[in-house]
């Protein structure tokens, strides 16, 4: 099986079987090479890709060698005895070429995009709560909910807010607000 980083690259290139790709399976390699050439690399003219598409042909390795010779600045050539590491290096290089050319094709669009920013933490500010009644009300609520009160009122209010938000359902909070309004 391919490594996680290799699978991520194949997924980014929208290879149909990115999650099932096995670098040791020659059929997978052949389909990847054809896919990359047809959709991402596009070094050859459409008419010149005919031999490369013949994945069932016994001469496909030779066609692949010719293809590597056609690619500009390709540092690899097929050897008479190719081991698994040789195939991995060649396929890694082809995938990196596909990624580079995909970026090159859409670099203006990619450079215009802004990264998704995380929502910044909300800062709590207790304004108008300097009165003793506010502190006593928070301490009473802490006692009622069995939460330890902090000497810092902001921390206590944050704790109460998160506790009430996570422990009580929205309907129970709404019902409680309704009873408070009825009492007034």
């Amino acid at each position: 099986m391919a490594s996680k980083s290799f699978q991520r690259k194949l997924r980014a290139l929208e290879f149909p079987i990115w999650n099932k790709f096995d670098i040791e399976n020659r059929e997978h390699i052949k389909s990847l090479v054809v896919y990359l050439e047809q959709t991402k690399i596009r070094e050859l003219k459409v008419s010149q890709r005919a031999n490369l598409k013949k994945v069932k042909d016994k001469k496909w390795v030779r066609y692949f060698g010719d293809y590597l010779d056609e690619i500009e600045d390709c540092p690899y050539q097929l050897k008479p005895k190719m081991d698994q590491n040789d195939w991995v290096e060649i396929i890694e290089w082809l995938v990196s070429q596909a990624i580079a050319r995909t970026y090159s094709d859409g670099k203006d669009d990619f450079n215009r995009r802004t990264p998704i920013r995380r929502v910044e933490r909300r800062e709590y500010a207790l304004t108008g709560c300097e009165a003793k009644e506010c502190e006593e009300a928070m301490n009473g609520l802490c006692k009622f909910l069995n939460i330890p009160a902090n000497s810092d009122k902001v921390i206590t209010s944050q704790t109460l807010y998160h506790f009430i938000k996570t422990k009580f359902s929205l309907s129970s909070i709404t019902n409680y607000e309704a009873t408070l309004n009825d009492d007034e």
Side-chain angles (χ1 to χ4, degrees):
M1 275 309 222
S3 69
K4 293 285 184 194
S5 65
F6 192 73
Q7 283 185 342
R8 278 196 308 268
K9 290 175 187 177
L10 294 181
R11 185 177 185 188
L13 291 169
E14 300 171 338
F15 183 56
I17 58 167
W18 65 268
N19 56 340
K20 297 175 187 164
F21 184 79
D22 183 6
I23 193 74
E24 295 177 8
N25 184 330
R26 289 297 152 97
E27 298 306 313
H28 287 188
I29 290 175
K30 291 175 182 180
S31 66
L32 176 63
V33 169
V34 171
Y35 174 81
L36 293 177
E37 172 54 32
Q38 286 183 316
T39 61
K40 308 297 179 187
I41 298 175
R42 300 181 310 271
E43 182 76 25
L44 304 176
K45 293 178 182 172
V46 175
S47 60
Q48 294 175 314
R49 298 178 190 156
N51 286 339
L52 198 59
K53 291 181 187 178
K54 297 177 184 175
V55 293
K56 302 289 183 196
D57 195 333
K58 293 179 182 181
K59 297 178 186 174
W60 186 86
V61 174
R62 191 181 84 201
Y63 301 145
F64 180 61
D66 294 342
Y67 170 66
L68 292 177
D69 291 340
E70 289 289 324
I71 297 177
E72 187 178 327
D73 298 328
C74 178
Y76 297 101
Q77 291 183 339
L78 293 185
K79 303 177 204 170
K81 299 265 183 180
M82 294 277 292
D83 66 4
Q84 193 60 35
N85 288 335
D86 295 330
W87 282 104
V88 169
E89 285 181 23
I90 293 171
I91 297 304
E92 277 280 353
W93 184 82
L94 280 175
V95 167
S96 67
Q97 287 298 303
I99 290 170
R101 291 180 188 207
T102 300
Y103 172 75
S104 178
D105 290 347
K107 67 182 168 192
D108 293 335
D109 183 41
F110 291 127
N111 289 338
R112 241 189 328 267
R113 292 182 185 174
T114 56
I116 298 171
R117 301 281 182 208
R118 291 187 179 182
V119 177
E120 291 185 25
R121 284 185 45 188
R122 191 180 330 168
E123 293 294 325
Y124 290 91
L126 284 178
T127 55
C129 291
E130 302 304 319
K132 193 74 170 156
E133 295 92 28
C134 179
E135 188 176 347
E136 288 173 0
M138 282 197 294
N139 288 338
L141 195 52
C142 285
K143 269 186 186 171
F144 177 73
L145 295 173
N146 201 19
I147 301 172
N150 192 298
S151 59
D152 185 355
K153 287 184 264 184
V154 174
I155 294 174
T156 302
S157 67
Q158 286 176 329
T159 304
L160 286 169
Y161 170 78
H162 288 296
F163 184 84
I164 291 169
K165 187 177 176 184
T166 58
K167 297 295 181 185
F168 297 100
S169 67
L170 182 60
S171 61
S172 66
I173 294 171
T174 307
N175 290 341
Y176 178 72
E177 287 174 346
T179 58
L180 286 178
N181 291 337
D182 290 343
D183 291 344
E184 293 175 358

